[in-house]
Amino acid sequence: MAEDLVYQSLERVAETAGDLSDAIYARYFELCPQSAEIMSHTDEGMRGRMLDEVFRLLLNPEPSEEIEYLAFEVDNHRAYGAEVHMYGNVLAAVRDVVKGALGGEWRAATDQAWAERLEALESIIRKAA
Ligand code: HEM
């Protein structure tokens, strides 16, 4: 687990950068104004619980273990109006904010590890949608 670079970078920002939730949602809604509209009624608690699950997904080095969970959430989220591209945007928002918080500690290998993790999750979501 310790060698997983996605895990390492999230652990590092948790230690050094404090709560990134507001920055992540700000980036998410900047990337995806449609999502901002859909989430306009949600409060901080709801947003926090959603982000906890997004972090949990990102921290799993075996994204294939999340197929059932993602099928469940994609199904639930259909009723809220969530579309496939919006999932990519929320994941990209986490990456962007973590990258910004890590500064010079974000290396090419970190970038590669994130790209692979995001693609693995998005591929599962595309199949579920
Ligand atoms: C992998 C990505 C995602 C995960 C794991 C996830 C997970 C969750 C969870 C667990 C909740 C329930 C929070 C609670 O009430 O305790 C939630 C709520 C919600 N999510 Fe997501 N979500 C994801 C992506 C999205 C996307 C792309 C949208 C599109 C805008 C979205 C819109 C919403 C909305 C509107 C709610 C509140 C629903 C309500 O009013 O009850 N989510 N999400």
Side-chain angles (χ1 to χ4, degrees), residues 28 35 38-39 41-42 46 49-50 53-54 57 69-70 73 77 80 82 86-87 90 125:
Y28 176 33
S35 292
I38 289 174
M39 296 205 73
H41 70 286
T42 58
M46 174 90 76
R49 290 190 297 275
M50 176 162 139
E53 289 302 323
V54 173
L57 287 169
Y69 173 72
L70 282 168
E73 286 300 0
H77 278 68
Y80 315 146
M86 299 177 186
Y87 292 92
V90 74
I125 290 164

Side-chain angles (χ1 to χ4, degrees), residues 13-54:
V13 290
E15 286 165 4
T16 58
D19 185 0
L20 296 176
S21 306
D22 287 349
I24 290 170
Y25 275 103
R27 177 65 180 145
Y28 176 33
F29 296 155
E30 181 184 39
L31 289 172
C32 195
Q34 263 181 299
S35 292
E37 215 167 293
I38 289 174
M39 296 205 73
S40 60
H41 70 286
T42 58
D43 62 18
E44 203 178 321
M46 174 90 76
R47 290 181 184 195
R49 290 190 297 275
M50 176 162 139
L51 207 49
D52 284 347
E53 289 302 323
V54 173

Side-chain angles (χ1 to χ4, degrees), residues 45-114:
M46 174 90 76
R47 290 181 184 195
R49 290 190 297 275
M50 176 162 139
L51 207 49
D52 284 347
E53 289 302 323
V54 173
F55 283 133
R56 192 188 59 72
L57 287 169
L58 286 164
L59 285 165
N60 190 341
E62 300 291 346
S64 62
E65 290 175 2
E66 302 295 345
I67 289 174
E68 267 183 46
Y69 173 72
L70 282 168
F72 168 79
E73 286 300 0
V74 167
D75 198 39
N76 285 340
H77 278 68
R78 206 169 281 129
Y80 315 146
E83 294 172 24
V84 174
H85 71 277
M86 299 177 186
Y87 292 92
N89 287 333
V90 74
L91 294 168
V94 179
R95 182 209 49 216
D96 290 353
V97 170
V98 171
K99 181 177 178 178
L102 280 184
E105 289 183 43
W106 180 275
R107 307 197 190 283
T110 319
D111 203 71
Q112 180 65 25
W114 274 80

